[in-house]
Each structure stands twice: as C-alpha cells, then as structure tokens.
Amino acid sequence: MAAQVTGGASSAVAASSHAVCARFRGTDPLITGVSRRKLAQQVGHSKGPQSTIPLLRWMRAMAFERLVRDKQFASEVVTVSVGALGLERPKAVVVADARIDTGKTAAILEQAHNAAVAYGNATLIHQLAVPFVGLEGAKATDTRPDFAVVAPKVPDQVGDIDGSWLIVGDAKDYQRVRAKIDDGRLLKGFLQVALGAESAAVWTKLPVGMDVHGFGVLAVPRNASLSPTAVIEDLTDHRQEVRMRVQERAEEVAAFPPGVDADLPGHLSHLQATYSPDSCPSCDMFVYCRAELQKSTDPTNLLVELGVSPQARPHAVGLVDGVTPVGKVATSVRHQIEATLAGTGVPSGQRRLDPVGEPGTVNVLVAKSDGATLGVYGIALQRVTAAGAGPWHVEVFQNPDHDDARRSIVRLVGRELNKAIAEQFKANSDDPAPVHVVVPDSGTSDLLVSIADSVAGKELSRLRWERDRQQGRPALTFNGDPAVVPPRLPEKDRVAVSFLLEQDRTRTMKVRSTIVDLRAALASLVTAGGPAINSLRLDYLAPWADPSQPSLDHRTLAQLVEKSQHSVGAQLTPLYSNAIHEAFTGDRAGLPRPAKPSQYDDLIRDELAYKIDVFDRASSLLTGEFEVSKLQSSVRAVEGDAQRVWRRRLDLHAFDLVRFGRTSRWWRNDSVPLLEADDRFNAQVTVLTSPRAAFDAAQDAGTRQLALARVIADVPLTVEVDSRRIGHESRIVALHHNGQALVEAEDVSAQAQKGSFKISHMPIGELTATGAAPREFFWTPHHDPGFAAGDELVVADFTWFSENKGGVWLNLTRPSVDSSSAPRQTCTPDSFSDDPANHQWCCKPHEASEAEWSDILAGRRARGELNPQVWPPVVDSEGFDVTAATENLPDPADRPGEQPPEHLTMDDVE
C-alpha cells in the first residue's frame, strides 16, 4: 500500500487559507493520493517554472537552517526561547539531529528528557519526524518540525525537576522589510509550529513526564543578515485552529469513496471551486480553476474571474450580458468590467497629483538578489532636471549580497539627490521645490528603505563604539561579543539614507510623497481590464493607458506578462534569478566570483534594460496622456513643508537616521493630530479631484460628508440630495458635475496661504427646504455653476472643509509639520552644546545621543544586566544590522545551486 500523502505542516497552513474552497478540500492528498502540484501536472494545468522556488532563495533557506544547527547560534536560540518562557537557565545546551526519522526522534526525545530531569540540560533537536496527528500507525507522511527544544521544568520547592517541556519550533528565513517581518508570514510559521505541537502532544512515544509547551518558537533572521534569533508566541489559538482544520480534513476525506484516483479529471470536474484571483494564486490548482472559468460562456463566471465580490455580481452581471438590469455597482468595478469588455483602459476622470517627470525627481530601478534580504545585483538611476530627463546610469555589483553593495547604492542615490537638491535651491533659494525618488512599485521602495535602515543602524552603532573607544572600552555588540566596527558614513551618502528613512518615518501619512510609486500613480488615473491584482505589475497596467494600443485581451496580456523572463520591480523571476546565479557561481565550487563575469554583467544589464524600457514607457504615458490637476501644486507644497524640516534634521544630524520602529511612544502619540490632519487633507483632495472616488464615497451610507444630488430645476436652482445628514440650512459645495471635477474648471484657482489653500469659484451655498418633497431644496450658490435640470452632482457638507461663514472660498487646511521632535528654524549647530536642557528634544545630534546611550549600555554591562550575564537574556529591540567579529555567517551564493524538492513551493519557504 502506498504511503498516504498528508502534506505535513505546510498543508495545514494552506488548509487554513483555502479551506472555504470545496475543490481545495476535495483535492487533499489524502483523498487523491498525490500532491496538488502533481495533480495539476497530470491534468495539464501546471503553474509552470515561474512559480518555482529560485535556486538561490532555496540555498539561502538551507543555509539558514544549517546556521540554526551551528552550536553558537543553537545556544542563542535555546537560551532566548527558554528564558522568554520563564524557565531556569540550563546547565548546558546539547545539540542532536533526528535525521527525519521517527525512531531516532523518539530515542533522542527520551535522552533529552532524562538529561533535562537529571542534569538540568536543554537539548536542541533538529529534523524531527512525528506522526501526523490522528494518523499514527497509518502509512502516512510525517510532520517534520525543523527543530524542538527540550528543557527542564521549573524545580519544585526542594529543587527536584519532575519533568521536561517540549518546545516545538521551526526555522524560517523570513525577509525583514523595513526592519520588520510581516505579521502574516509569522502567522503562517506559527500555524506550522502548532501542527507539530499537536502531533507531538498525541504521540504515544512521547516520554513519560514530557509535556508539549503551550508556546512555540520560530527561529528567524535577527536582522538583514542570516544570524538567527528566536520569536516566541502562545500557540493556544493556533493549535485550536489546527485541531479544527484536521477534524474538517478527516471528515472531508471520509465523505469521498475510495478509488477517486482512478479518474482524477472527472473527480476535479465535480468539485466546486471558490475562486479569487487575489488569494488563489498560492494554490497549485489555481491555473486549472482559472482555465475552467475562462472557457465558460456564463457571464457570471467572467465576474468571478475578475474578482468581483459575490455580493456585487448579481448587480453587475447586466454589464456583461447586456440584458439583466444593472443594479448599484461601485464605479471602480464598473470601470474594470467596461475595460475588460472594450479592451481599452477606462480613465478615472482624475488629473495628476504626482510629481513624476518634474525637475528634482530621481528615478531608481533595482535588480534584487535572492541571496540576501538586501542583496542587489544592479541599479539604474535617472535624474530629471529643468532640461528634461537625463540618461540612465547603470551599475552592476560584483558582490551583490555584501554590505559594500548597499553602501554603493546609498552613494549613487545620494549623489543624484544632492544634485537634485542643489538644482531646486538654484531655481528658488527661498522656497525650493521638494525632491522625490520615483520607483516602479512598492517592493522597490521597501528594498531601498530597508537598505537605508541597515546602513543607518551601522552608522549609529559606529558612533556608540567611537564613544567606547574614547572611554577606553572595547567595542562590543549588544550580546557582549567583539564587534566589527563599520566605516564612517560620508555626509553625501547620508543624504540618501536620511531621505529614504524619511519615507519610513512618515509611512502612515498618505499625502507625503518622498518616494513615489509610478505604478500606483498610473493606476489612480486609469482602470485596466482583467483582475485587479494583475495591475500590480506595471508592464501589465501600462498598455491599458496607451491610446495607440489596439484592443487588448486581458487574458493574452496576462499570459504574456506571467511568462516573461523579466520583471519590472526589484524581485526577479525565478528563471532569470537562476540564470544570474549560475553565471555568478559557475558549475562548481571554488571558482572566482563572478565565475562568468561577462555573462553575469550582460544578464543584469539586460534585466535592467527591460525595467528601464517599461518605466520610460509608463512615465511617458503618465506625463503625455494625462493633464495635471489644479491641486498638484498644493500637494507638492505640503511635501515641501515637510522636506524643510527634513533638511534641518539632516544639517544638524538630529533624528535623521531613526526609522519608524525606533521612534518613542510619546512622539508617536504627539504625532496623532498630524496624522489626523494628513488623513483629512488626503480625503478632501481625493474627493475633490477624483470623480470615481467621490461617487463611490457618496454612495457609501457610512460617509457623512458626501452625498449624491440631482438638479430638479435651474430657475430657481433646485436640487434633490440623497442624504439624511445634509438638509435644510446646511451649506454645501458641489464637487463634481456629470462626472467632471469642478476643481479642474478653467476659472478655478488654488492659492497657497500659510495655514490653508484657498480654492476659488466653487459653487458654495445654503440649502433651503422647498416643502414640496422631503429631500428637495432651493440652492443659491455664491458662484453660478450653470447647472441644468437633470444634471448629476456630488456634493459635500461645507463644514467638513471649513468653518468660515463666507461662501466665496473653499479652504483646505494645510497639514502641519512635525514640531515636537524636530529642529526649529532658529536651531543652529551650536544650539544643543550651548543649551542642552532646552534643545534636547529638537536638535540634539546623533553623536550626543549615541554617546549617552553607549555610556548607559556600558554601565548596565558592568552591573551584569546585559547578556551573557543576565537571565533571562535581554532582547535587542533595535536589531541593528551589525555582526560580531566571531560570527561566521554562511554565504548562500558560495556554491552552485541545488534544486529544491519538487513538491515544495514558495509558500513553503515563505
């Protein structure tokens, strides 16, 4: 009898995310006898090579697992885990390998239990194999936790240890973005840990006296390097979910008769899929389900393919079949359907607010390496001046995963930013326009900010160690190891680091545009056909905005983009990542790097050439096909206000190298009014300039400030307002007229003032009930809009914008800038040294702050309050990207690629 394929922990996690789908449940390997990937191959709908794990990404994951097994790091993972759970400090740490064998796992667990009870030792066991929960004794694949810690329980009053804890863990090489691991990834990891814990808890061979601990542990990279640390979490909820999914799975399996594998195509056709283009791509059956929808002639299935919500489909199906009455459909959904059917993008009606193509913008493209979180193969930069866009400068890095490459990136970006700032000051020294970095997608932005954070952390650490040396103290890491002191960050490079971190500190603000996402800017102006998730790729979205393109078929275009060997964003496709890795390492170990320099250079330049071509075409469409909004200058003025504060930070070295995660709680609390003002200004600008956004918001019953209205008569002007909150004696302002933004009219102007932006010639006036109908009002706006009977309007409560009593101007309150932890205009380089008490919160330089912190750490270390003396170990919350002199971190790119196991996907790695 063949072994039952359970899918292990990965299957449990997938079941949690796709459990609503009957087809997913019905293709459980326990039912079909094969994995879903093999099943997709058998029915001719494999996801293809572009969905495979890049070789270098797999090598990195394996290198991280090996590192967790290294005695030095194993000891750290064990002590952090055991200490965080309030257990006693182990007398020794022992490392064992169960080699994915249930017999060896049982024997090692028995030995570890005895060592814990008799000697107080903790054991880190790698590569365990535990029977899948509920299938012990059956011929089924096991659950395979990467590691587990066996630690003694807390001694009783007389000092005896009466048992041990089994703390189940997993090693996950999760990439840190902006110094943080995404919560969704941690959730997936802990679900896998929970299944291992559940399986171990019911295993009959678990030693007597050993209990599975209620908490689990993930070994994850401590920072941008591979050095591991432990993350602890309560598994109670995760284990409950796992039990529920396992029970559902067993019931599903029991519902199908044996012999399903005799006719798998027929079996599949009888299973109803719950399809979503957003969540389904991680499933191996995605291509099969999508092909099934694409072959269907049912108009509702087109809506399913596009990702239209089930609630909206009955109202929107008439847009497809042309027969069914059309109900209440959001404008964004309507545009998506219309674009799909017509094969041309549908303009949103909004004009440009972005600064793309303006002087002072620096365009940046990168090709990311899979060998490190912050690895970069190459970069392309272009600066836009008053004379237009300059040439692209391309740089290829010979050591892509090293800190030298990251420092080269900030040097190159800093060089262009310095030139851009100088040009803006030359154009207007009193009020220079802001500068911006423009990227093709959010992933590139995250990578650049993460690189800046890494370099900034090393610079701050260097300042501390410089103080230590001045005081005759050794340079030590947080854990007390001898530190590798990094080189000083040059002032010109600091501009890029500080500027990119400005984006991180203000990432919760919506109006700020330090880094501009070209794809998002284009998406706000045109709606592409096909599933909305496809438009997350610029090379898919851009053709829909090109009027010279013939009618597009969204399926053909999506297939072309999916099969492309290139990508627009930072992340490479698996095929090209593998090709570059092969050129870098060659076919055997020991070769110089890169092993094939000419091929390596050509591949990276070819990748960047594709990114440049798509970026240039999208940028040209954006600047050539869409008009600029009257409010663009107002939005840029807000960014200009903030950048004046940023330049003061930079000049005085005050709080300019601090990421959002290191900001103080009181500063965040103090910034709440700033965030509220920013959110309000953004909402007001959006509804003023975007007919689509304003119409959808006005239709939403939860929006108090906006409403739809119709002109009943033009003499006197009489309107019907669809709102219970806007009524008699309410003052309103008309924002849109028959789908056209009134703020973009020729006679409208926006004047910048110190505290607001004044918009002229907007229809503003008070409503007076006619008495003829409950929602009918006479309206006499100050500015005659020239409306006629039958016109459709979007109106807003005037008091949402301003409390002014006049009706001549529409005022937008200008968001304030940070004043609680930022240098004032009067601050000078000597202000803090001359008057520390009154300048410690505004312009205190990093040199002084880090020197003080260095002294505090030295005092704590001398008192035995820091690692390795203190128990439980203190966690380094800063997580700077620094290394100890004794650390010997592996290089995943030091050897030719090894093919990952065929049954694994990126979901298993990520």
Side-chain angles (χ1 to χ4, degrees):
M1 176 180 171
Q4 297 183 69
V5 182
T6 65
S10 298
S11 181
V13 174
S16 295
S17 57
H18 299 299
V20 69
C21 178
R23 177 167 289 162
F24 182 87
R25 299 194 305 270
T27 53
D28 191 307
L30 289 173
I31 297 172
T32 62
V34 295
S35 68
R36 290 185 181 86
R37 167 170 285 193
K38 288 186 177 180
L39 177 58
Q41 292 172 350
Q42 289 181 19
V43 295
H45 287 285
S46 170
K47 292 173 72 174
Q50 294 290 40
S51 66
T52 58
I53 305 171
L55 297 181
L56 189 51
R57 183 69 183 86
W58 175 250
M59 298 286 287
R60 196 179 86 201
M62 293 302 96
F64 182 70
E65 286 195 13
R66 290 196 302 271
L67 198 62
V68 175
R69 299 173 204 165
D70 182 271
K71 189 168 182 60
Q72 174 188 350
F73 296 104
S75 178
E76 181 177 344
V77 170
V78 169
T79 53
V80 171
S81 304
V82 172
L85 296 177
L87 303 178
E88 295 287 331
R89 190 172 197 155
K91 300 296 188 294
V93 174
V94 181
V95 180
D97 192 340
R99 302 186 182 278
I100 317 180
D101 182 276
T102 52
K104 289 183 179 179
T105 300
I108 292 175
L109 285 175
E110 187 69 40
Q111 295 170 4
H113 171 72
N114 294 334
V117 174
Y119 306 108
N121 292 348
T123 304
L124 183 66
I125 308 172
H126 296 288
Q127 301 190 100
L128 296 86
V130 180
F132 194 92
V133 56
L135 294 178
E136 183 178 356
K139 197 172 183 182
T141 54
D142 303 315
T143 302
R144 299 172 179 177
D146 288 332
F147 68 89
V149 177
V150 176
K153 292 183 177 179
V154 177
D156 57 23
Q157 294 181 350
V158 296
D160 293 333
I161 299 173
D162 62 354
S164 66
W165 288 116
L166 176 66
I167 308 164
V168 180
D170 232 10
K172 289 294 183 183
D173 176 28
Y174 289 141
Q175 299 192 90
R176 288 185 176 268
V177 177
R178 298 170 182 256
K180 179 180 179 294
I181 296 174
D182 179 66
D183 290 338
R185 290 183 177 179
L186 288 176
L187 173 62
K188 286 174 59 179
F190 279 115
L191 278 172
Q192 293 189 6
V193 173
L195 181 63
E198 277 298 297
S199 297
V202 298
W203 192 19
T204 58
K205 293 187 179 180
L206 197 70
V208 177
M210 176 182 286
D211 294 313
V212 177
H213 203 283
F215 281 70
V217 56
L218 282 179
V220 298
R222 186 172 65 228
N223 38 44
S225 66
L226 286 175
S227 52
T229 189
V231 178
I232 312 297
E233 183 163 320
D234 188 343
L235 298 179
T236 302
D237 291 341
H238 303 313
R239 289 179 64 173
Q240 182 177 355
E241 180 174 352
V242 164
R243 286 193 294 271
M244 178 180 67
R245 296 302 179 199
V246 168
Q247 181 180 353
E248 288 180 352
R249 193 178 183 190
E251 293 172 354
E252 194 77 25
V253 171
F256 286 91
V260 162
D261 55 338
D263 182 19
L264 289 177
H267 172 66
L268 278 177
S269 65
H270 288 92
L271 297 172
Q272 181 66 40
T274 304
Y275 181 86
S276 167
D278 297 328
S279 60
C280 286
S282 61
C283 174
D284 283 309
M285 301 307 301
F286 169 69
V287 175
Y288 176 89
C289 297
R290 183 177 63 180
E292 183 181 56
L293 288 171
Q294 292 176 349
K295 289 185 295 185
S296 172
T297 57
D298 185 344
T300 303
N301 281 340
L302 176 62
L303 301 180
V304 176
E305 179 192 349
L306 297 183
V308 177
S309 68
Q311 297 81 5
R313 290 172 200 163
H315 304 287
V317 71
L319 295 172
V320 180
D321 63 19
V323 177
T324 308
V326 178
K328 185 178 178 180
V329 180
T331 310
S332 54
V333 175
R334 182 185 293 269
H335 285 182
Q336 180 188 9
I337 297 170
E338 290 174 353
T340 302
L341 298 175
T344 57
V346 177
S348 67
Q350 185 175 10
R351 295 188 183 182
R352 291 182 53 210
L353 295 168
D354 62 87
V356 175
E358 296 286 335
T361 54
V362 178
N363 303 326
V364 181
L365 304 167
V366 294
K368 188 185 181 307
S369 162
D370 284 310
T373 298
L374 304 181
V376 177
Y377 286 123
I379 185 171
L381 302 100
Q382 179 191 55
R383 183 166 57 90
V384 181
T385 68
W392 285 94
H393 171 70
V394 176
E395 186 93 3
V396 174
F397 303 119
Q398 302 303 306
N399 198 349
D401 301 334
H402 196 267
D403 183 58
D404 291 344
R406 299 192 280 275
R407 289 182 176 266
S408 295
I409 288 170
V410 299
R411 173 178 56 82
L412 293 168
V413 175
R415 181 183 66 188
E416 300 302 325
L417 283 174
N418 275 299
K419 292 178 180 178
I421 293 170
E423 183 184 31
Q424 300 295 61
F425 267 90
K426 185 177 180 180
N428 186 345
S429 58
D430 296 329
D431 187 20
V435 296
H436 310 266
V437 167
V438 183
V439 296
D441 67 348
S442 60
T444 303
S445 172
D446 287 338
L447 178 60
L448 291 174
V449 172
S450 299
I451 288 173
D453 176 70
S454 173
V455 175
K458 291 197 171 186
E459 175 64 9
L460 296 183
S461 299
R462 184 193 67 82
L463 293 175
R464 297 179 191 175
W465 292 327
E466 188 176 87
R467 171 68 174 178
D468 286 329
R469 287 176 170 177
Q470 291 172 356
Q471 298 299 310
R473 300 189 294 254
L476 302 176
T477 66
F478 188 87
N479 287 339
D481 299 316
V484 177
V485 181
R488 177 182 173 275
L489 179 65
E491 286 298 314
K492 291 184 177 180
D493 300 0
R494 186 178 185 133
V495 172
V497 175
S498 176
F499 186 80
L500 295 172
L501 283 180
E502 179 76 358
Q503 166 75 12
D504 185 57
R505 285 191 298 270
T506 61
R507 65 176 181 245
T508 53
M509 292 188 171
K510 300 173 183 177
V511 181
R512 295 294 308 276
S513 54
T514 310
I515 300 180
V516 179
D517 183 346
L518 175 61
R519 188 215 63 82
L522 190 59
S524 69
L525 304 177
V526 64
T527 300
I533 194 172
N534 290 353
S535 293
L536 294 180
R537 279 194 59 148
L538 188 59
D539 46 359
Y540 178 88
L541 174 64
W544 295 91
D546 188 351
S548 65
Q549 283 275 2
S551 180
L552 296 168
D553 178 76
H554 73 280
R555 295 165 181 166
T556 302
L557 180 59
Q559 188 177 44
L560 185 67
V561 169
E562 288 174 6
K563 291 184 176 180
S564 173
Q565 61 181 343
H566 297 291
S567 67
V568 186
Q571 187 65 53
L572 304 183
T573 64
L575 292 177
Y576 227 70
S577 175
N578 293 347
I580 293 176
H581 179 57
E582 195 278 330
F584 187 75
T585 61
D587 56 1
R588 63 183 185 278
L591 294 175
R593 301 290 186 263
K596 303 173 183 177
S598 177
Q599 182 181 352
Y600 173 77
D601 189 85
D602 289 345
L603 285 169
I604 295 170
R605 291 184 182 274
D606 187 42
E607 173 70 16
L608 289 171
Y610 178 83
K611 299 178 190 295
I612 290 171
D613 179 61
V614 175
F615 188 98
D616 283 345
R617 284 190 284 116
S619 180
S620 297
L621 288 168
L622 189 68
T623 57
E625 298 296 332
F626 299 94
E627 296 182 68
V628 173
S629 171
K630 293 283 182 69
L631 296 186
Q632 187 204 51
S633 59
S634 302
V635 173
R636 293 200 72 194
V638 173
E639 179 64 27
D641 293 343
Q643 287 197 20
R644 274 192 289 275
V645 177
W646 164 69
R647 287 194 297 269
R648 292 201 295 269
R649 293 190 197 277
L650 177 65
D651 292 341
L652 301 178
H653 289 192
F655 204 68
D656 69 312
L657 296 183
V658 175
R659 64 175 178 252
F660 181 81
R662 289 192 68 232
T663 55
S664 62
R665 182 176 295 276
W666 68 264
W667 178 83
R668 297 188 199 185
N669 291 338
D670 206 45
S671 298
V672 169
L674 299 181
L675 294 174
E676 291 175 342
D678 173 88
D679 185 67
R680 186 186 186 94
F681 182 79
N682 178 72
Q684 291 172 346
V685 169
T686 300
V687 299
L688 275 166
T689 58
S690 174
R692 180 178 66 188
F695 185 85
D696 285 348
Q699 276 193 314
D700 188 344
T703 304
R704 294 172 175 268
Q705 304 88 358
L706 302 178
L708 298 178
R710 287 162 298 284
V711 178
I712 304 300
D714 53 355
V715 181
L717 184 57
T718 309
V719 295
E720 181 184 28
V721 182
D722 296 340
S723 173
R724 291 177 296 175
R725 302 181 181 95
I726 298 175
H728 179 61
E729 296 185 343
S730 294
R731 271 198 304 164
I732 63 169
V733 53
L735 306 182
H736 300 275
H737 170 227
N738 292 335
Q740 300 296 316
L742 292 173
V743 76
E744 309 295 2
E746 290 185 6
D747 57 347
V748 171
S749 63
Q751 300 178 17
Q753 295 185 313
K754 184 177 180 180
S756 66
F757 299 101
K758 293 175 62 175
I759 304 174
S760 70
H761 295 89
M762 294 291 286
I764 302 169
E766 187 175 280
L767 296 175
T768 304
T770 64
R775 307 311 310 161
E776 284 188 10
F777 306 93
F778 295 124
W779 184 36
T780 309
H782 183 277
H783 171 70
D784 181 13
F787 295 157
D791 287 349
E792 299 285 336
L793 308 177
V794 176
V795 300
D797 187 341
F798 182 80
T799 59
W800 181 46
F801 291 93
S802 172
E803 295 295 336
N804 292 347
K805 299 303 180 184
V808 179
W809 300 93
L810 180 68
N811 277 33
L812 296 181
T813 302
R814 192 167 185 158
S816 301
V817 295
D818 183 12
S819 59
S820 62
S821 183
R824 298 183 286 266
Q825 292 183 9
T826 56
C827 291
T828 68
D830 299 322
S831 293
F832 174 76
S833 58
D834 293 343
D835 188 6
N838 289 319
H839 287 273
Q840 61 176 328
W841 305 118
C842 57
C843 61
K844 184 177 184 178
H846 278 299
E847 287 79 358
S849 299
E850 299 309 322
E852 289 182 6
W853 184 233
S854 176
D855 291 342
I856 292 172
L857 289 178
R860 291 176 62 189
R861 186 169 285 113
R863 295 190 296 271
E865 296 173 358
L866 284 183
N867 306 340
Q869 295 89 354
V870 67
W871 184 263
V874 182
V875 177
D876 180 10
S877 60
E878 291 178 334
F880 284 152
D881 191 12
V882 296
T883 55
T886 56
E887 276 185 315
N888 185 23
L889 298 177
D891 178 10
D894 66 352
R895 65 190 73 184
E898 297 176 6
Q899 291 290 341
E902 186 179 291
H903 65 281
L904 295 182
T905 67
M906 278 301 297
D907 254 10
D908 300 298
V909 177
E910 296 289 335

